Amino acid sequence: MIRSKKLGVAVGLTEGLAQYSSDAQSWKDLAADTDLQEGDSVRTTTNGRVVLLIDDGSAVRLDSNSE
């Protein structure tokens, strides 16, 4: 059996309104101390921006109106 490693994600930056959801139906405000899990969705609004830091050293940047 091959097991894949789960990567950790930390919120590096939030500007404006950004939200996350575990079920893509109920959304909660995203903050720097939010504990994201594998499978969570993240979205930004018109003035929102987010940087997600992956524990392998990479980063994901979401500009406004992104999901």
Side-chain angles (χ1 to χ4, degrees):
M1 173 192 275
I2 297 175
R3 293 186 181 187
S4 60
K5 179 181 175 187
K6 292 184 179 183
L7 295 174
V9 179
V11 180
L13 168 80
T14 60
E15 289 183 354
L17 180 60
Q19 298 177 314
Y20 74 101
S21 175
S22 297
D23 60 9
Q25 294 180 3
S26 59
W27 293 88
K28 301 172 190 159
D29 289 346
L30 186 67
D33 62 347
T34 301
D35 184 27
L36 294 172
Q37 302 296 319
E38 185 173 327
D40 286 351
S41 298
V42 174
R43 70 181 181 186
T44 59
T45 60
T46 303
N47 65 345
R49 198 169 69 138
V50 172
V51 176
L52 302 173
L53 305 173
I54 315 299
D55 65 4
D56 69 353
S58 60
V60 176
R61 293 173 178 84
L62 298 177
D63 204 1
S64 60
N65 296 320
S66 299
E67 185 173 336

